[in-house]
Amino acid sequence: MSPGEVVPPDEPAPRADTAPDVRAASAESAAERTARAVMWIGPVLATLATLIWSGNFVIARALHEDVAPVQTAFWRWIIAMLAVLPFAAKAVWQQRQLIRTHLRYLCGAALLGVTLFNTLIYQAGRSTSATNLALIAAASPVLIVLFGMIGRGGEKVTGRRAVGMVVALVGVVALVSKGSLSVLLHLDFAVGDLWMLAATATFAGYTALLRRRPEGISGISFLFTTFLLGTVLLIPAYVVSLVVQGGFTPSGGTVGALLYIGVASSAVAYFTWNKAIDLIGAARAGIIYYLQPVFVAIVSYFALGEDTSGMQVICMALIISGIALGAGKKN
């Protein structure tokens, strides 16, 4: 360097906190993206499960004269286990110690969600009307929210969510009764109504239990394990049904129906419902369950050619409005 050469000033050293700021901003951005994804994915999964279960009610009604309720439930879960097994076997084996540790909890979830819920629905369908079934099922989201509030860490119900539930419930009752007060006043209650009320309570209890699922047990392991335990708990009732009522002769119709409720209504719908509870909680998912009569009406229109009146359209709009109000992110 020559004596007259000017030395350029050193470049300012980068601030020590620049990198952490960048990382923090990146982490915040990732968290926002995740939150946005949860906002949409959870409700979509709950809606998909509700749509699939809408078909289950129709099929259950069609099977009631050919297959005894307990036998329908038993073969449903056998098929469901076989459908889930290839995806669950490795995870179940790896988590076997956790499953053994939390066996009591898993048995409780299996009893409510697998052994009792659908068996009670099939039993109810033998001795009460479709209108009564639908009206009692409308209480399910309310019970889900109430059960979800119980215990440590229970979900809070805000005013907006409560209003949304009421609006959706009014829409369901109006849809089922075709907007006629006389239909509600002249309902004939039967033993099947008690079976359906019990089914509604068991499903709400099962949904509330989902938010207490032990850490480390994956969704697919939980699904297979509860299917297995629930089926084992059904065996005594299944044997009694075979002795008292006799078996059934498989046909194309019965096998197709059992495959639908075993694969779609059990394996697929339960997986998506359980995942929705993980993402958005029991209260928000429970309100989405009000979509069931809307889906039944839509399926009946396209598949069975049943007429849809202006009153039904208004009722369905009311239900959807209540769900949007009560199941939205900001509640």
Side-chain angles (χ1 to χ4, degrees):
M1 179 186 303
S2 61
E5 185 175 349
V6 178
V7 180
D10 292 336
E11 292 290 332
R15 291 176 55 187
D17 59 347
T18 299
D21 283 347
V22 172
R23 287 196 296 270
S26 177
E28 183 179 354
S29 177
E32 290 176 352
R33 288 196 297 270
T34 302
R36 285 196 297 269
V38 168
M39 177 183 175
W40 291 106
I41 293 175
V44 167
L45 292 176
T47 301
L48 177 60
T50 303
L51 172 60
I52 294 172
W53 282 329
S54 299
N56 178 45
F57 280 101
V58 176
I59 289 177
R61 185 66 180 170
L63 279 176
H64 83 278
E65 292 183 354
D66 300 319
V67 188
V70 172
Q71 295 178 41
T72 300
F74 179 81
W75 287 108
R76 166 185 182 155
W77 298 116
I78 291 291
I79 294 169
M81 278 194 299
L82 294 176
V84 172
L85 180 60
F87 308 98
K90 182 178 179 180
V92 169
W93 176 254
Q94 292 173 339
Q95 297 163 23
R96 63 190 183 279
Q97 184 57 49
L98 271 174
I99 292 172
R100 192 178 300 115
T101 301
H102 298 286
L103 190 60
R104 183 177 177 180
Y105 163 85
L106 292 168
C107 284
L111 177 66
L112 293 177
V114 177
T115 307
L116 293 177
F117 174 48
N118 289 280
T119 308
L120 291 171
I121 289 178
Y122 301 147
Q123 183 65 40
R126 297 171 70 91
S127 56
T128 193
S129 67
T131 299
N132 286 29
L133 289 177
L135 284 172
I136 296 171
S140 186
V142 178
L143 291 178
I144 288 173
V145 172
L146 292 177
F147 284 16
M149 296 170 61
I150 298 173
R152 183 182 301 175
E155 297 183 56
K156 295 181 179 179
V157 178
T158 62
R160 177 174 171 176
R161 181 165 294 160
V163 171
M165 287 180 58
V166 171
V167 171
L169 180 59
V170 170
V172 170
V173 173
L175 179 64
V176 173
S177 64
K178 297 179 174 60
S180 173
L181 182 61
S182 63
V183 172
L184 299 177
L185 295 176
H186 293 88
L187 287 174
D188 293 323
F189 291 97
V191 175
D193 300 323
L194 297 177
W195 291 117
M196 188 61 198
L197 186 60
T200 300
T202 59
F203 181 68
Y206 169 78
T207 300
L209 278 179
L210 291 178
R211 65 184 179 87
R212 298 186 175 94
R213 192 178 78 199
E215 292 186 10
I217 298 181
S218 65
I220 196 69
S221 295
F222 175 84
L223 204 67
F224 178 81
T225 305
T226 51
F227 285 179
L228 174 61
L229 293 172
T231 305
V232 170
L233 293 172
L234 261 176
I235 289 176
Y238 176 73
V239 172
V240 171
S241 176
L242 285 179
V243 173
V244 174
Q245 300 169 301
F248 67 95
T249 303
S251 65
T254 57
V255 171
L258 289 171
L259 285 174
Y260 177 86
I261 62 177
V263 177
S265 293
S266 300
V268 176
Y270 269 73
F271 180 81
T272 55
W273 181 258
N274 295 357
K275 187 64 177 177
I277 301 299
D278 286 342
L279 294 174
I280 61 176
R284 288 177 65 194
I287 295 174
I288 292 171
Y289 195 72
Y290 275 128
L291 279 172
Q292 194 160 92
V294 176
F295 288 142
V296 171
I298 293 173
V299 170
S300 298
Y301 176 79
F302 286 103
L304 305 177
E306 294 185 2
D307 293 333
T308 300
S309 66
M311 174 59 73
Q312 288 176 307
V313 173
I314 293 173
C315 293
M316 288 188 284
L318 195 62
I319 295 169
I320 294 171
S321 298
I323 291 170
L325 184 64
K329 179 183 178 183
K330 296 180 180 179
N331 280 295

